[in-house]
Amino acid sequence: MTVAIIGVLVVVIVVILVRRRSRTGRAPQIAAPRAAMPKLLVTEVDNRPTLASLSTKLGASRGVFDRLRSLSGAPNREVLSVVEEILLRSDVGVALTSEILESLSDSHADESVLEHVRTALLQNLNRDRSVKTSSRAEHVPVWLFVGVNGVGKTTTIGKLAQQQRNAGRSVVLAAGDTFRAAAADQLAQWAERTGSDIVRASEGADPGSVVHDAIGRAFARKFDLVLADTAGRRANSSNLLDELAKVRRIADRSPGEVVETFLVLDATTGQNALTQAKEFLASAGVTGIVLTKLDGTARGGIVVAIERELGIPVKFIGVGEGVDDLLVFEPEAFVDSLLGA
Amino acid sequence: MFDALSDRLEKISSGLRSRGRLSDADLDAALGEVRQALLEADVELSVTSAFIAAVRERLQGEALSQSLSPGQQVIKAVHEQLVEVLGGEALKVTYASKPPTVILLAGLQGAGKTTTAAKLANWFKQQGRHPYLIAADLQRPAAVEQLRVLGRSIGVDVYSDSSNPVDVAKKGLKEATRIGRDVVIIDTAGRLSIDQELMNEVKKISKVTEPDYTFLVIDSVTGQDAVHTAKAFHDTLALSGIIVTKLDYDARGGAVLSARGVVGRPVVFAATGEKITDFDLFYPDRMASRILGMGDVLTLIEQAERNVDPDVAAAQASRMMSGEFTLDDFMTQLNQVRKMGSLGGLMKMMPGMSKEMRTAANNVDDGQLNKIEAIIQSMTVRERQNPVIIDGSRRTRIARGSGSSVTAVNQLLNQFTQMKKMMKQMGGGAMPQVPGMGKLSGAVARAQMARGAEVPAGLEALSAGMQAGQRANPPAGGRNNKKKKGGRVTPPKQR
Ligand SMILES: Nc1nc2c(ncn2[C@@H]2O[C@H](COP(=O)(O)OP(=O)(O)OP(=O)(O)O)[C@@H](O)[C@H]2O)c(=O)[nH]1
Ligand SMILES: [Mg+2]
């Protein structure tokens, strides 16, 4: 089979290149457009509807919730389409949205639309969200932070370091992002801001050894916790994921013990977050999600699909750039904000 | 995904041909599938609706084509419309008559502005310009330092001080003018569109620097929120265009359409990786294919272009077609393919490959490829040029020389002969008659049609043919079912 595979690849690649070569130099042919396509597809951005706006739309005169509660029985098309819009616009995703709509149209008279949708979403969010801060005896607990570029890993470490300091724990930060320019400087500022220790190396150094050194230092000086930063990486590169798996293995080597691996997800991310979660779960054994940037207009609904499919619990949310802008994830409050209730 | 979409469209539209036009009901059904595909690609809801409405209008009047199935025709229309919206009139960067040309970058936190600023500077440098960078992100810790490091690496000076973003921009611009730089790129802090204070700040920066171009930097993985961000930044800054980042991720990138659709300004550049040089002009047709889930073929093309010399490829193509393809050529090719990445990864990018082929490709590890190389290396030059002369005793010698079995040598030679035959048939335009190629050819044909015949015809037949040949010669000695871990072929480090 191997030869066949190579054969196919070879042929494809050769033919592609030859064709492209023969095309270069030729002027591009532009087909005359038929129905002209508008440049602007939408001129106004609609706000995400909420179940509350639905009740207004339906001419509610009573209190919003009363009205919603009375909106029961098999819902009509208009109701379904508003619910669909709410869910899709929160990035919950097509699959889960269709599922919820289906169950909604089959629903019976004794439940309000609001309650039904709320329950359907919450069903997926029913898990243990405790956070481990301790390790086996004679070990140092390590929290590892992973995720794609720019989601907020380093900032989240700063915030969590502060939170742990407030709880009376001593913290060492490991500047495991040795790839991005000035990443260690960034983390160093957070160390200073939160009164944490930091172990760093020069750019291009081996991330594993930085983490290893941080653990060694924490162990020798009896620090309570190591928070290890890693370089942002795309989730579709087996090289980069392997490298991460290696860092994790090193962090988990005695006296280190990885007690939490946090996947940091950006709430503005759409359906790709599910892929990110799958890949990082497989390569780094993610134990919890931190959903950042919820202070913006994005709702981060994709985490519902992630929790449902992969069972990784969201543990914290980021709500700003300040050191205290971190909250514990609460499913009910989250779902209410998705629904705008 | 594209396969799934086109398959679904095929189902809906079979048996319509006689009517000559798509009926409204069929059109509804087909566009319903398209809508779902766009939403799955993260195209924003209202943009999706508007887009679908435009496609509907276009298709309604259209007579069914003779050569395309109705499903294919829908895809073609969707693809063309996507290219049209994504492309529109292109933005050509012209330089201010009184230099410097000022460029302002803005966007959300984490979109990639700082890296983009450096990439853009490098791009201008390659155009023969003398760029200058201003680090006006005083918000994020070490953002200035990040830009300084990047600036050093590309040999571009960076201005910053610790006053405030507006003053930094103003003073930086003055400095650039003083030292005679002709392009100035201003990096700003990431900000939320609803943060009024910060939006006012960036507006002020824009006011004092009067940029010639203002670009919104947007992350390709963005979801539904893309429209809010794009609209808010456009309303505040009057964008000249959009730069999309992180196109090396496997996201479908519908956000690009959302942003484009709501600001009506062109997407100008695309960032495709972490390296400074992973930066290019934006190609609407690639993006359209990607949103429809056909982007992988394009990635494959790009990787091929990056790793394989087209002249060498051309020479080999002619030998392939004329049946002169030798084991030496095969070795060269094998090494080129290895440079491009894992076989499994490459196979995944190709449309129309059977699941069997994909699984098999996934299971190929470095060891197997090394073994093939060892066998070929144990042959004499004459044997490699003309494998027919390899008789029984030669086979034994080759097996011994390469530390493998005679069965393995036999297998390699059989497969090579098979492959050579297929290649020649392709060259002669003949399609090998093999079972099970219908579905395969369908997928490739559709990709071809949407891409202007970028994918070689006959590829699917070739793949099926080789598989069929393979089945006739089952591999001796157990399949390698090793999980793709550890010692598999790893692509060259990308960073
Ligand atoms: N508004 C808002 N901004 C955030 C939040 N979390 C992080 N950010 C910002 O997002 C940007 C990126 O954050 P980083 O912490 O540098 O992200 P990272 O994942 O470490 O990035 P890389 O190391 O470059 O991959 C910074 O500007 C942060 O200030 C949040 O919860 N809300
Ligand atoms: Mg970081």
Side-chain angles (χ1 to χ4, degrees), chain A residues 153-154 177 180 186 229-230:
Chain A
K153 292 175 292 302
T154 308
D177 180 357
R180 207 206 66 199
Q186 185 186 355
D229 198 7
T230 62

mmCIF file of all heavy atoms in Angstrom, chain A residues 153-154 177 180 186 229-230, ligand 2:
data_model
loop_
_atom_site.group_PDB
_atom_site.id
_atom_site.type_symbol
_atom_site.label_atom_id
_atom_site.label_comp_id
_atom_site.label_asym_id
_atom_site.label_seq_id
_atom_site.Cartn_x
_atom_site.Cartn_y
_atom_site.Cartn_z
ATOM 1 N N LYS A 153 -3.536 32.964 27.423
ATOM 2 C CA LYS A 153 -2.858 32.053 28.361
ATOM 3 C C LYS A 153 -2.053 32.817 29.409
ATOM 4 O O LYS A 153 -2.208 32.612 30.615
ATOM 5 C CB LYS A 153 -1.889 31.124 27.607
ATOM 6 C CG LYS A 153 -2.564 30.128 26.700
ATOM 7 C CD LYS A 153 -1.546 29.330 25.896
ATOM 8 C CE LYS A 153 -0.801 30.160 24.867
ATOM 9 N NZ LYS A 153 -1.635 30.828 23.869
ATOM 10 N N THR A 154 -1.187 33.700 28.937
ATOM 11 C CA THR A 154 -0.279 34.395 29.848
ATOM 12 C C THR A 154 -1.050 35.290 30.816
ATOM 13 O O THR A 154 -0.777 35.310 32.024
ATOM 14 C CB THR A 154 0.727 35.211 29.024
ATOM 15 O OG1 THR A 154 1.330 34.333 28.061
ATOM 16 C CG2 THR A 154 1.809 35.792 29.899
ATOM 17 N N ASP A 177 6.885 29.673 27.393
ATOM 18 C CA ASP A 177 6.820 30.151 26.013
ATOM 19 C C ASP A 177 8.173 30.746 25.677
ATOM 20 O O ASP A 177 8.456 31.899 25.980
ATOM 21 C CB ASP A 177 5.711 31.190 25.844
ATOM 22 C CG ASP A 177 5.630 31.716 24.401
ATOM 23 O OD1 ASP A 177 6.474 31.308 23.566
ATOM 24 O OD2 ASP A 177 4.722 32.509 24.099
ATOM 25 N N ARG A 180 7.640 32.832 21.303
ATOM 26 C CA ARG A 180 7.174 34.157 20.881
ATOM 27 C C ARG A 180 8.068 35.252 21.452
ATOM 28 O O ARG A 180 8.502 35.177 22.600
ATOM 29 C CB ARG A 180 5.729 34.393 21.330
ATOM 30 C CG ARG A 180 4.985 35.364 20.432
ATOM 31 C CD ARG A 180 3.861 36.072 21.144
ATOM 32 N NE ARG A 180 4.396 36.934 22.182
ATOM 33 C CZ ARG A 180 3.675 37.399 23.193
ATOM 34 N NH1 ARG A 180 2.413 37.034 23.322
ATOM 35 N NH2 ARG A 180 4.221 38.186 24.100
ATOM 36 N N GLN A 186 6.712 39.419 29.217
ATOM 37 C CA GLN A 186 5.296 39.604 29.538
ATOM 38 C C GLN A 186 4.948 38.886 30.832
ATOM 39 O O GLN A 186 4.340 39.455 31.738
ATOM 40 C CB GLN A 186 4.447 39.074 28.370
ATOM 41 C CG GLN A 186 2.949 39.314 28.518
ATOM 42 C CD GLN A 186 2.153 38.645 27.394
ATOM 43 O OE1 GLN A 186 2.731 38.084 26.452
ATOM 44 N NE2 GLN A 186 0.842 38.682 27.499
ATOM 45 N N ASP A 229 3.448 28.441 31.750
ATOM 46 C CA ASP A 229 2.990 29.012 30.484
ATOM 47 C C ASP A 229 3.569 28.175 29.333
ATOM 48 O O ASP A 229 4.639 27.568 29.474
ATOM 49 C CB ASP A 229 3.500 30.459 30.365
ATOM 50 C CG ASP A 229 2.749 31.276 29.326
ATOM 51 O OD1 ASP A 229 1.738 30.777 28.790
ATOM 52 O OD2 ASP A 229 3.177 32.419 29.048
ATOM 53 N N THR A 230 2.867 28.139 28.223
ATOM 54 C CA THR A 230 3.421 27.493 27.023
ATOM 55 C C THR A 230 3.173 28.409 25.832
ATOM 56 O O THR A 230 2.322 29.292 25.895
ATOM 57 C CB THR A 230 2.769 26.127 26.727
ATOM 58 O OG1 THR A 230 1.372 26.326 26.481
ATOM 59 C CG2 THR A 230 2.950 25.155 27.879
HETATM 60 MG MG MG C 2 1.507 33.981 26.043
#
